């Protein structure tokens, strides 16, 4: 069961402006990444279901976050069917993220009052997602569409909340472009979770870059 309501999840995402997303087969490494992100100021994380043992790792990190970081929302990404969504909700997901819009997943999430952020790439898809109760839609892959797409959508639909994922970089220039275009928040993956020369996650760097990104976003929102 989710520990945070979908309204709380929306508020965290809109306030902090960034959703780090990662995937790893090792529970210990995943916990270390969570620690680094939390120290850097993150209060929302997306764990992507890309590995064969994603559900077992997610169950453990969901419990870890519940016990240690009660103010952090943890969601699951790359979900492709309603059955998987139901499983991860049972394992503690506060929100569900998908690469495409799926009505069956929207039904499951609405039934359980869980936040659902589907991938959309057109005004028609965005409209269908909003009609299904999605408060924030994911623009994916963001690198293909770019900030200008968001700016164009916000013209006729200023009420639409968009989170670009893919093509977002941890630099002031890149982040500013997305937020100037009107995005609500951004999703950031591999470019945030940097590794050292040995191929291991650079936890100190992840913490510092996370802090810098969140400060950049905060400064933009306050101007």
């Amino acid at each position: 069961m989710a520990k945070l309501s979908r309204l709380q999840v929306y508020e965290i995402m809109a306030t902090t402006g960034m959703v780090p997303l990662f995937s790893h087969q090792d529970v210990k490494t995943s916990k270390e990444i969570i620690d680094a992100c939390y120290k850097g100021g993150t209060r929302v994380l997306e764990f992507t279901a890309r590995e064969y043992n994603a559900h077992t790792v997610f169950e453990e990190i969901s419990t870890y976050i519940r016990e240690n970081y009660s103010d952090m929302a943890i969601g699951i990404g790359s979900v492709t069917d309603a059955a998987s969504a139901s499983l991860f909700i049972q394992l503690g997901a506060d929100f569900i993220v998908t690469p495409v819009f799926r009505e069956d997943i929207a039904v499951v999430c609405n039934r359980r009052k869980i936040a659902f952020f589907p991938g959309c790439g057109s005004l028609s898809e965005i409209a269908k997602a909003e009609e299904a109760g999605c408060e924030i839609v994911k623009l994916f892959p963001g690198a293909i569409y770019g900030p200008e797409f968001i700016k164009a959508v916000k013209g006729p639909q200023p009420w639409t909340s968009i989170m670009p994922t893919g093509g977002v970089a941890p630099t002031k220039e890149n982040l500013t472009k997305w937020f100037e275009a009107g995005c609500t928040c951004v999703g950031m993956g591999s470019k945030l979770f940097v590794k050292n020369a040995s191929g291991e996650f650079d936890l100190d760097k992840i913490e510092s870059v996370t802090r810098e990104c969140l400060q950049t976003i905060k400064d933009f929102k306050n101007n």
Side-chain angles (χ1 to χ4, degrees):
M1 293 291 292
K3 68 180 182 300
L4 298 175
S5 72
R6 54 182 172 186
L7 293 179
Q8 288 175 307
V9 174
Y10 298 151
E11 181 64 22
I12 293 172
M13 291 174 65
T15 300
T16 62
M18 185 174 75
V19 180
L21 52 119
F22 76 100
S23 179
H24 205 279
Q25 294 179 334
D26 182 66
V27 173
K28 179 176 180 293
T29 300
S30 296
K31 289 179 178 179
E32 291 174 341
I33 291 173
I34 291 168
D35 293 338
C37 287
Y38 191 89
K39 291 176 183 177
T42 293
R43 293 300 178 267
V44 57
L45 276 173
E46 174 190 333
F47 184 81
T48 56
R50 298 174 182 171
E51 307 293 348
Y52 76 93
N53 64 336
H55 65 288
T56 58
V57 176
F58 183 80
E59 182 176 17
E60 293 211 38
I61 65 173
S62 175
T63 299
Y64 179 73
I65 289 175
R66 187 182 295 270
E67 294 176 347
N68 294 278
Y69 306 122
S70 60
D71 58 339
M72 175 181 275
I74 176 66
I76 186 75
S78 299
V79 178
T80 57
D81 59 89
S84 295
S86 297
L87 171 63
F88 284 109
I89 290 172
Q90 193 64 31
L91 296 178
D94 293 308
F95 59 92
I96 302 293
V97 185
T98 60
V100 297
F101 174 64
R102 289 284 301 254
E103 291 184 12
D104 57 338
I105 294 178
V107 170
V108 168
C109 290
N110 281 331
R111 184 180 296 130
R112 300 290 291 274
K113 298 190 183 300
I114 298 292
F116 173 37
F117 309 119
C120 297
S122 70
L123 280 171
S124 295
E125 289 178 328
I126 290 172
K128 287 182 180 179
E130 290 178 327
E131 289 168 1
C134 301
E135 188 68 24
I136 301 174
V137 297
K138 180 176 78 167
L139 179 63
F140 179 78
I144 301 298
Y145 297 95
E148 288 300 314
F149 181 87
I150 296 178
K151 185 177 180 180
V153 170
K154 297 287 284 188
Q157 297 185 185
W159 57 82
T160 296
S161 296
I162 301 174
M163 174 180 67
T165 300
V168 179
T171 66
K172 182 176 182 178
E173 179 184 11
N174 185 270
L175 290 170
T176 299
K177 286 181 179 179
W178 287 110
F179 281 94
E180 283 182 340
C183 75
T184 296
C185 57
V186 296
M188 195 180 309
S190 59
K191 293 182 180 179
L192 176 64
F193 295 104
V194 294
K195 296 182 179 181
N196 56 30
S198 301
E200 299 176 341
F201 285 105
D202 190 333
L203 300 174
D204 290 336
K205 184 68 173 179
I206 291 172
E207 178 184 340
S208 63
V209 173
T210 297
R211 184 178 295 109
E212 292 168 4
C213 288
L214 291 174
Q215 187 61 53
T216 295
I217 295 169
K218 182 179 180 180
D219 291 343
F220 178 87
K221 288 178 177 288
N222 291 335
N223 287 336

